[in-house]
Amino acid sequence: MTEISGATRVVGVIGSPVRHSLSPALHNAAFAAGGLDWRMLAFDVAPGGAADAVAAIRALGITGLAVTMPHKADVAAAVDALDPAAVALRSVNTVVLGDDGSTFGASTDGAGFIDSLTEAGYDVAGRRVVVLGAGGAARSIVYSLGVAGVADVAVVNRTPASAEECAALSPVGRVGSFADVDGADLLVNTTPVGMGGSGELPLDAGLLRPDLAVCDIVYHPLETPLLAAARACDAHAIDGLGMLVHQAVHQQLLWTAHRPDPAAMRAAAEQELLRRAGG
Ligand code: ATR
């Protein structure tokens, strides 16, 4: 790893709370693997402070920001320009400071999700997809599934109004029900059900089939009850760390114009999750 000097470039991750963010571990590992004299630091920015944080990167020449809860919408309103995904979602997870001092906001979560499927050898074009949940992550995924050319996206959520809003982000989106899993090619869980060792499943395991691909964006634990059930019936199981890694690949590409090594990011994330689990 390069020594920190006056020439070291800095990016930040802002959130509240931010201390549990995996972003510094992922990004710093990839900076080191690529021999880049860059560092990421975490900044705990209180709710309502996002616009000040964006102004601060201009003042300090901090090259970019990763943005997490609860600032994604406020940052979208605070930057000078947005990429198409950020416009559609009214949400930003990445800020880039231009040479002219202007700020650009992007949303890389959905693209990261699609790349994680590609990495797992799954081509989503023309597929029928069921998305469980309709929160921020689901919105990014449904938008990007539409861009990637899927045939159908059924959004299943306990709150119908959010499902409707989420489904509208894709031209082939609609509100669905668990019955849609029967005719689907890909099932994506975006709800927190199964997180933290609860052992819960977000749907009846009897709905899973060997010819279904199943992705759970929950990565704590990495093998969620849903993924274990999918593997038990020989379905193609895709874990959630790929989305985390590949949204970060897009971020680093935007900041540095250098494509980072996803394997270095994934190894760092796995090591950090293991450390936190006390392993
Ligand atoms: P994220 O930003 O990670 O997407 P979120 O915006 O809080 O998180 O969204 C969580 C999603 O999981 C929501 O769709 C939520 O359903 P509601 O819209 O009805 O709140 C869903 N969810 C959360 N807990 C759930 C549970 N126990 N069972 C089913 N769905 C759940």
Side-chain angles (χ1 to χ4, degrees), residues 69 132-139 156-160 162-163 190-193 200 202 217:
M69 285 276 288
L132 305 181
R139 290 168 57 88
V156 180
N157 194 49
R158 63 183 180 185
T159 308
S162 325
T190 75
T191 76
V193 178
E200 289 173 294
I217 70 160

Side-chain angles (χ1 to χ4, degrees), residues 71-172:
H71 301 305
K72 290 183 171 188
D74 288 351
V75 170
V79 293
D80 298 316
L82 295 170
D83 79 348
V87 170
L89 301 164
R90 295 185 305 280
S91 170
V92 156
N93 77 336
T94 313
V95 180
V96 187
L97 180 68
D99 292 337
D100 61 355
S102 65
T103 51
F104 174 73
S107 180
T108 71
D109 289 326
F113 170 74
I114 300 294
D115 287 355
S116 76
L117 296 183
T118 306
E119 185 182 57
Y122 192 79
D123 180 4
V124 86
R127 307 284 193 167
R128 300 178 70 80
V129 187
V130 172
V131 174
L132 305 181
R139 290 168 57 88
S140 308
I141 287 169
V142 167
Y143 171 82
S144 289
L145 285 169
V147 173
V150 299
D152 181 54
V153 183
V155 179
V156 180
N157 194 49
R158 63 183 180 185
T159 308
S162 325
E164 239 166 80
E165 221 184 286
C166 183
L169 289 162
S170 163
V172 292

Side-chain angles (χ1 to χ4, degrees), residues 130 132 156 176-188 201-214 226 229-230 233-235:
V130 172
L132 305 181
V156 180
S177 71
F178 287 115
D180 287 299
V181 176
D182 202 22
D185 304 303
L186 171 66
L187 172 73
V188 186
L201 284 164
L203 83 174
D204 180 349
L207 292 171
L208 303 176
R209 319 177 308 268
D211 61 337
L212 188 69
V214 179
L226 175 61
C233 83
D234 274 340

Side-chain angles (χ1 to χ4, degrees), residues 260-278:
D261 177 11
M265 287 184 166
R266 187 171 177 109
E270 282 178 356
Q271 197 180 0
E272 183 57 22
L273 288 172
L274 209 60
R275 193 188 66 76
R276 290 178 190 187

